[in-house]
Every structure is written in C-alpha cells, then in structure tokens.
Amino acid sequence: MKHLIDPLDLSVEEIAELLDVASDIEKNPQKYAEVCRGKKLATLFYEPSTRTRLSFEAAMLNLGGSILGFSSADSSSASKGESVADTIRVVSCYADICAMRHPKEGAPKVASAYAGIPVINAGDGGHQHPTQTLTDLLTIRSLKGRLDHLTIGLCGDLKFGRTVHSLIKSLARYSDIRFVLISPEELRVPDYIREEVLRAKNIPFVEVERMEEVLPELDILYMTRVQRERFFNEEDYVRLKDSYILDRQKLSLASKEMFILHPLPRVNEISTEVDNDPRAAYFKQAQYGVYVRMALILKLLGLEVD
Amino acid sequence: MKHLIDPLDLSVEEIAELLDVASDIEKNPQKYAEVCRGKKLATLFYEPSTRTRLSFEAAMLNLGGSILGFSSADSSSASKGESVADTIRVVSCYADICAMRHPKEGAPKVASAYAGIPVINAGDGGHQHPTQTLTDLLTIRSLKGRLDHLTIGLCGDLKFGRTVHSLIKSLARYSDIRFVLISPEELRVPDYIREEVLRAKNIPFVEVERMEEVLPELDILYMTRVQRERFFNEEDYVRLKDSYILDRQKLSLASKEMFILHPLPRVNEISTEVDNDPRAAYFKQAQYGVYVRMALILKLLGLEVD
Amino acid sequence: MKHLIDPLDLSVEEIAELLDVASDIEKNPQKYAEVCRGKKLATLFYEPSTRTRLSFEAAMLNLGGSILGFSSADSSSASKGESVADTIRVVSCYADICAMRHPKEGAPKVASAYAGIPVINAGDGGHQHPTQTLTDLLTIRSLKGRLDHLTIGLCGDLKFGRTVHSLIKSLARYSDIRFVLISPEELRVPDYIREEVLRAKNIPFVEVERMEEVLPELDILYMTRVQRERFFNEEDYVRLKDSYILDRQKLSLASKEMFILHPLPRVNEISTEVDNDPRAAYFKQAQYGVYVRMALILKLLGLEVD
C-alpha cells in the first residue's frame, strides 16, 4: 500500500517517472480516458478548498473513474465526534483511493496508518501539500525542460507559505539549483529552511527585499499570496500586502525565458495586466495540476497504460 | 466559443433549432445517452439553487457526461478573495463547459470573457436566468404546438420576477402574442418592460388586478411566487402573498386547453388541489427543463447526434 | 412502484432474496459493474450524514450508475419554503431512484406518496433507518450463517437508538431468537418494544445493567453510541457515557465465535484496542452496508442480473 503524505515521500527517480506519465497524459489524453473505469476517488475535505478538490475530481473523471465525498467538515461525521482513523476505515469500504484535506497537521498521516486504500494528502494545515509541489515541478519541467541548472526566485510570504517550503526542499534535491528569496524582513523563510536545507546542502541562495534587483537573473519567479489569516494583526497585513506586486513594469526587467508561477488563488500580487504575457504560466499550472494528479492516482492504484 | 448569458443571446431561429433537439431528446433519449462520454460539466453555484443545479447535472449525466462543482460560496475559493475571472480560467482546466449561478448581476458575463470553455448563466441575481426561459418556451411549444398566436397570462409578482421579464421579452419576438398581466398595483411590471418592449413593439397587453375576469381567454397561465425577500417590509408581504392563489374554483373559469406553468418552487400560490388537473403543467415543466439543458449543452459543445 | 420506508416493509422472504443478491454481489462484484449504466441516484439529505450518503453513492457507482443530490438543507430549496411533496415530484424528473434523509419523522413516507421514482428512507429523525437494519441483518447472516437460533446482545442507549428498535423488530420475525438487553436503567428499551414486540410474540429476553455477566452467552454483541444530543441534561450524559465501554478485558469473557457490531460512528464505547480482534465486525459491517444498498437499488429499480 502506497500513500502520498509528504512531498519527499517520493524519490527523485519516482518523481521523474510520475512527471513522465503526466507529460504523456498531456500529449495523449485519450489513451487514459478509461483506465480507471469502475474506480472511485473519495475527496474528504474537512475544510473547503474548491480548487484542489475540483482538480482531484477532474483528474479522476479524466481517467474514467467516479467521485464521491464531502467538501467541508459541517457535512461530515466529524461533527459527531468520529476519529479520522475510523472515518478512513469506513471510507476504505466506499472508495478505491482518497484525497484528504484537513485543518490539523498530520491528520492524513494518521489516516494512512489505518486506511485500506491509498491516501493522498491534499493539504494539512500549514504543513504539507504534496500535490501542489508535484504540480510546481511538472510546470517547471514542462516549461524549462529540466529541473536542474535553474535560478528560482520565490517571492512574497516565505515564512508561512507551505508551498514555498515544500518547493525549496524538493528542488534542493536537483543539481545546480540557486534560490533567490524575495520577501519583507518579517516574512523571510524560517530558520530551519535556511539552515537545515540550504546551508546543510551547500545550496547557493540570496535573500533580498526588492524584486526589481533580481528579476533579470531568474529562470522561474514563483509568486505567493500574502494570506490575511497568517498575520497576527491587521495593520501589518495592510502595510505589507501590496509590497510585492508584479506588474508589467517590473516584468519588463525579466528575461524573455523566465516563467511566472503562482499556486493560486491570487489576490492582487500579480497585476492582471501581466496575465496575457507569454511568461505568465499560473493558469497553465492549474492544467498541469490535473495531469500530475492523474499520474499520481494511476501510480498509487498500481495502474499502467501502455 | 459560444456562451449563453442572456435569453436574447439566441435568435428565434437558434431557439427553434434548440427546441427541436430538445423535443427529439424527449422522444429518443437513448440516442443521446453516450454523446458526452468523457465530457465534464462544472456547476459553479455561488448561491444555492438545488433545483437548477440538479437539472443541469441530470442533463449532463443523461448525455453520458460527468459533473463536478460546488453548491454554495462557502465551499468555494471566493472566500479567499479570488475574482470570478481567475476562477473561470482555472475551472476551464477542469471542465469542458460550466453553469454559473451568482448573486451578483453580470458575474457570468464577466466569466465568459475569460473562460476557455462555454459558460451558461444559471441565474445572476435578479437579472437573467436564460435556461428558465428556454424551459418555459419548450414547455409552451410542446403543450400548445406553437410559440405564436397565443394569449399569455402572467400572474403574481411581475415587478421583481426575472423569469417573467425574460419570458415577456422572448415571446415578444413571435407573432400575434397578447399578454395579460395580472398583479397587484404594487407589483406591476417595470416601466421599461411596458414601454421599451410592449409599447415599442406594438404588442397588445392588458393589466388587471383580478385573475377571475381574464382566465377564460388565456392559452397559458404563468404563475409566480411572491418572494418574501423581494419585499421591503413584512407587512406588505403578509397582506399581498395570498391574493393571487389559484385554486380549483378559479380554475373552473379557464379553458380546457389552457396550461398552467410555474418556475417553481411554489409556496402556496397554486393550491395543491389543482395538481392533478390535466392543465397543471408545472411538474412537466421541470422535465422539459432537463431536455432543454441537454440540448443547450450539446449546442455549446458543438456536438451533434444524427 | 416500490419504496423502502420502514424496515418491516419487506417480508422475511423478500429480505432473504435481498440478502442473497447482496451476498452474490460480494462474491462477484464485476457481474454487477454496469447494470445501472445510465441510471441516476439522487441523494436528498436534509441533514448531514456523510457515512450513509457515501454508502448509497458508493453503491450506485459500483453498479455503474451516476449520483447527484445535496448533503444538507442549507443548499436545498427547502429554505425557500418548498414542500417535500413538490421537491420529490421535481426530483422524479432528474433521477431514477432517490435516498432521502430528513430530520422530520415521516418525511420520506410523504415523499413516496408523490414520487414518480422509488424512494428509500435513509433515516427520518429518531424514527426509521431501514438500510441500517438491512446492513445489520446481512452482517449477522454473513458472519454467523443464519438469522435464527441466535442470542443477540444489544448494549448502550436502548431507549433512543432507532437502529436498536428496528433490529429487535426485524429479528423478532425469525425463530429461536433471544435478546439480552444491556443498558443503564435510564436508557432501557421503550415499553412498546418490551410489550408489543417481545412479550406479544413470546420472545425470550433479559434486561441487565452489566455487560460482563452476559458476555459469555452472546452470539452477537450490538454496541451503540450514547448520543449526547439524546440527553436532557449534560450531567446525565457525563455520568453515563463511559459506563458501557467494551475493552479487551471485557471481551476476554466472550465466546470466540461472538461478533461485535456497531452502526458507527463510534465515539469511545468500543476501545480501539479491540479493533484488531477477529470478532470486531463493525468495519466489515460498513462494507456489507454497500452490498445491501446495491441489492436494494437493483430490487427497487426492477433490475436483475443472471
């Protein structure tokens, strides 16, 4: 039985295989249209996340499978005091695979210990969101043709953004990666990322406050939302939220071959005037998210397509 | 790329074609049972509307397609501040066509400008609800055999009821239509309907306060609900809500060939004693709503069945 | 037109047939994988019940059918004042069969009087929950090989627990059944069960306060949750809720061939240390719940598989 709980559960080799399948799906979707016929995906979302849920559901439907589940804790048995361990054992009777979103860190890991079916962590609190990381990796590899020899800029809230931390840890496994960390002083990456990941592995990085000075050297600019709910007080939020807005003027400083990623939803950290620039890849990224989830479902169900 | 935002987006000829397909679906449902295999409908309901949502979902399932989506804004990314434009661009990666219900007027139109897939307006505030109008037209044509040469009675809240306004504007395009507008003084049709639609096109109409006096001359009686939420004060609501109740006694005044329509849900404006009368067509209307949505999905996806 | 509203709607012979089909489904799921292709199940849940809803949905999907519906009253037309009678008449245009959960006793029965499709009561208030009873019967018959000649222990809240009352009434129709009723004084079975079912039919039973003294003689131990919402005051709940907890020590007194059932969700009335005991059957029970719902859907739709 295999699960995906942490983005690092998969080796670099397994990720390469997964992304290969995802790329094949992109090229030949019809080949995969019936492979999950008769299989069911349960989406167990203890907190709402429409985008992630719909991405999983689209993935399963594209494979010819079916979907069932719930989209918020209100409509689940959780309100009757049931443990995640019991819920997953029951859901194992109803579905062949499940994607679980939970506000509590570690809940999907607990579930995987009791599940009779593969469990995919679809986000647990501020902790992990491995299919977002796989989406980011597929997007980068598809657009740049490689996951090594890259200068990666990460911009915005680098302190609380779990997608940023996961992406740094994942890319740190490839050779010749350099990070450019762009954030206000208050929202710099946590110490453990700086010390245990970057310095421990001798990975070159810089930390800067202004996007403009580093844009020309980036292969990828990964923008993130400044989430209101991460701030301790409203005043800080208001002061900082507009500091890191990518607009056409700033973008003019970047290379023609740089691509802009964003895990979405965006609020205003990328000006809409940038949307039609060929370097804007954040909506393509949503499409890659479906392909990589399709590949993941196939892998965890042990299904192969020739 | 085609969308359906306003009931008048479709020409009289296009409506005729659509209703022809809907009628063929009614007669030969099996012919259409697999035509959308592999296609996905996203139902994006920013406010709940079970009937409309389920009608769309039944339509897509009847065509062999799949469904995904959300049924209220609580469980959507809207709460994270995402724009409709961004949501639809992402959903365009997840589905082949979408039906959007939104409390804000114009939201589906905005969505259609950014969508990579056809957008169907499934109701935007008090504004438009084009698939209800298509349902009404199919019902009238199926029961009376024509959309011209008809005396149409509209009864109840004619001021705020968007289905009434859309139906008047749509039927005004056919020849020899006469309207009988039955409402309390306070809930008469808005001036722009009276002036810009009816008088501008020289369409005969009368405005009356009592149903009884006009019932004998009607081909169609379109009843509407007096919606509590449209009233400015509770007192007016209580005073008026029972004034326009169709019961067996009133119905005895009508022609044997008149049909009663209602967009549903009904509260008490049609007495349940009328339900078994052969002229009661409001539940058949719900069935026609599925057929016309099936025809619309096919049209917007560019699919044809021989 | 057939419905399932009350567990006793089905004769002993009909139940035997239904359980035979369910057992065949367990052995040969592939035989049934396409039999409902093109059919739709509507799940109309006016109050949340994830487990029951997902069990129905899994059942329909396993048969190759499709699902649509709502999972709480908030997202339904009920909030607009529509009657259950009107809702079911409309839903009859959208689906081929429906499962209805409603907080009001009798709502599914009302629905069945107006429905154009089979209605399954998926729980109405504290009243009936017939598919839970069928699940219990299938579980007992599958594990013990029979539904007669059994000593059945029922433990916990025997006063308010509708699953307990239904199970007693259903098993009372088989020969040589003996009941052991284990509960605190305050939560004993209601008088009508004791008088009109047990004494009227001369069925042997005992009522005890302590699980330990009777465990050795049981063939089945049916545990139930002490539901906080059934108590009139919090103090009673706190005092009683831990009195009837099955743990490994108590279980050591039971026969090796006894099986433990529970309608779930469990809170803490069965210690998790019991879960891996081969006699723990409450998660298998969830699986049997899917099989018996599959058999029921087939029966009500009049579908047979050779």
Side-chain angles (χ1 to χ4, degrees), chain C residues 6 10 17 24 28 39 83 85 94-95 116 121 124 143 153 155 159 178 182 201 206 228 243 246 252 272 283 290:
Chain C
D6 184 299
L10 297 169
E17 274 174 43
D24 192 56
N28 308 293
K39 302 285 184 192
S83 69
Y94 300 162
N121 180 358
D124 56 335
L143 296 175
C155 178
K159 184 170 182 182
R178 187 176 160 256
I182 311 157
K201 293 186 154 195
V206 291
R228 183 186 293 251
S243 315
L246 179 66
S252 69
T272 56
F283 295 119
V290 178

Side-chain angles (χ1 to χ4, degrees), chain B residues 80-287:
Chain B
K80 294 181 188 163
E82 186 174 55
S83 69
V84 162
D86 277 17
T87 297
I88 196 68
R89 278 186 283 207
V90 171
V91 170
S92 299
C93 304
Y94 299 162
D96 300 285
I97 186 167
C98 97
M100 178 183 287
R101 176 89 163 210
H102 204 289
K104 256 199 220 157
E105 293 186 11
K109 183 154 191 66
V110 170
S112 71
Y114 295 93
I117 57 175
V119 174
I120 302 170
N121 180 359
D124 57 335
H127 200 218
Q128 305 290 359
H129 188 11
T131 57
Q132 179 65 52
T133 306
L134 291 174
T135 299
D136 299 340
L137 295 177
L138 177 62
T139 306
I140 296 171
R141 203 187 75 162
S142 297
L143 297 175
K144 298 299 295 182
R146 64 188 190 274
L147 287 171
D148 45 20
H149 308 292
L150 291 169
T151 297
I152 309 279
L154 298 146
C155 178
D157 170 4
L158 307 187
K159 184 170 183 183
F160 299 104
R162 67 183 161 191
T163 61
V164 164
H165 307 161
S166 290
L167 187 57
I168 291 173
K169 286 187 273 184
S170 292
L171 283 171
R173 306 200 287 183
Y174 297 88
S175 58
D176 192 20
I177 294 290
R178 186 175 160 259
F179 290 105
V180 177
L181 307 172
I182 311 156
S183 76
E185 183 64 27
E186 292 91 334
L187 293 176
R188 286 169 65 189
V189 292
D191 281 347
Y192 90 94
I193 292 281
R194 198 179 296 102
E195 300 305 323
E196 295 168 35
V197 181
L198 299 173
R199 293 207 172 119
K201 294 186 155 195
N202 274 319
I203 294 166
F205 71 97
V206 291
E207 297 189 83
V208 300
E209 280 222 312
R210 290 170 50 82
M211 199 191 293
E212 288 89 333
E213 56 196 82
V214 294
L215 268 172
E217 55 193 275
L218 302 182
D219 295 308
I220 294 289
L221 171 59
Y222 195 96
M223 297 291 297
T224 65
R225 183 161 62 105
V226 177
Q227 287 179 267
R228 182 187 293 252
E229 60 265 35
R230 301 299 185 199
F231 279 84
F232 296 117
N233 67 71
E234 183 69 12
E235 208 178 300
D236 276 5
Y237 170 73
V238 170
R239 181 173 59 86
L240 289 168
K241 78 180 169 66
D242 294 340
S243 316
Y244 292 85
I245 294 178
L246 179 66
D247 54 19
R248 211 178 315 184
Q249 205 186 341
K250 292 201 194 84
L251 185 56
S252 68
L253 303 169
S255 151
K256 292 283 174 225
E257 270 124 50
M258 187 194 80
F259 288 99
I260 309 156
L261 274 65
H262 190 299
L264 303 179
R266 138 181 86 174
V267 181
N268 63 351
E269 57 278 8
I270 301 176
S271 168
T272 56
E273 65 187 20
V274 168
D275 292 353
N276 291 324
D277 191 288
R279 291 166 287 186
Y282 30 95
F283 295 119
K284 275 181 214 150
Q285 203 177 345
Q287 183 67 69

Side-chain angles (χ1 to χ4, degrees), chain B residues 282-303:
Chain B
Y282 30 95
F283 295 119
K284 275 181 214 150
Q285 203 177 345
Q287 183 67 69
Y288 287 123
V290 177
Y291 298 142
V292 88
R293 287 181 177 95
M294 291 171 72
L296 179 65
I297 290 169
L298 291 179
K299 182 184 172 63
L300 294 179
L301 287 177
L303 296 171

Side-chain angles (χ1 to χ4, degrees), chain A residues 34 37 48-55 57-58 61-62 67 71 101 225 264-267 275 283 286-287 290, chain B residues 37-38 40 44 66-70 74-77 80-83 85-87 89-95:
Chain A
E34 297 286 331
R37 176 73 56 216
S49 177
T50 310
R51 179 185 316 284
T52 303
R53 182 171 59 82
L54 295 187
S55 183
E57 296 183 354
L61 294 173
N62 285 348
I67 52 176
S71 58
R101 177 88 162 210
R225 180 162 63 105
L264 302 180
R266 135 179 88 173
V267 181
D275 292 353
F283 295 119
Q287 183 65 70
V290 177
Chain B
R37 175 74 55 216
K40 286 161 288 155
L44 310 181
S66 303
I67 51 175
L68 74 174
F70 53 86
D74 306 339
S75 54
S76 84
S77 296
K80 294 181 188 163
E82 186 174 55
S83 69
D86 277 17
T87 297
R89 278 186 283 207
V90 171
V91 170
S92 299
C93 304
Y94 299 162

Side-chain angles (χ1 to χ4, degrees), chain A residues 48-198:
Chain A
S49 177
T50 310
R51 179 185 316 284
T52 303
R53 182 171 59 82
L54 295 187
S55 183
F56 272 109
E57 296 183 354
M60 190 50 156
L61 294 173
N62 285 348
L63 295 166
S66 303
I67 52 176
L68 73 176
F70 53 85
S71 58
S72 74
D74 306 340
S75 55
S76 85
S77 296
S79 55
K80 295 182 187 161
E82 186 173 57
S83 69
V84 162
D86 277 16
T87 297
I88 196 67
R89 277 186 284 206
V90 171
V91 169
S92 299
C93 303
Y94 299 161
D96 300 285
I97 186 166
C98 97
M100 178 182 285
R101 177 88 162 210
H102 204 288
K104 254 199 221 158
E105 293 185 11
K109 183 154 189 66
V110 170
S112 71
Y114 293 93
I117 57 175
V119 174
I120 303 171
N121 180 358
D124 57 335
H127 200 218
Q128 304 290 358
H129 189 10
T131 57
Q132 179 65 51
T133 306
L134 291 174
T135 299
D136 299 340
L137 295 176
L138 177 61
T139 307
I140 296 171
R141 204 188 73 163
S142 297
L143 297 175
K144 299 299 296 182
R146 63 188 191 274
L147 286 170
D148 46 19
H149 306 291
L150 290 168
T151 297
I152 310 280
L154 297 145
C155 177
D157 169 4
L158 308 187
K159 183 170 182 183
F160 298 105
R162 66 183 164 191
T163 60
V164 164
H165 307 161
S166 290
L167 187 58
I168 291 174
K169 287 187 272 185
S170 291
L171 284 170
R173 306 199 287 184
Y174 297 88
S175 57
D176 192 20
I177 293 291
R178 186 175 160 257
F179 290 104
V180 177
L181 307 171
I182 311 156
S183 77
E185 182 66 25
E186 293 91 332
L187 293 176
R188 287 168 64 188
V189 292
D191 281 346
Y192 90 95
I193 292 281
R194 198 179 294 101
E195 299 306 322
E196 294 167 36
V197 181
L198 299 173

Side-chain angles (χ1 to χ4, degrees), chain C residues 275-288:
Chain C
D275 292 353
N276 291 324
D277 191 288
R279 291 167 288 187
Y282 29 96
F283 295 119
K284 276 180 213 150
Q285 204 176 344
Q287 183 65 70
Y288 287 123

Side-chain angles (χ1 to χ4, degrees), chain B residues 55-73:
Chain B
S55 183
F56 272 110
E57 296 183 354
M60 190 50 156
L61 295 172
N62 285 348
L63 295 166
S66 303
I67 51 175
L68 74 174
F70 53 86
S71 57
S72 75

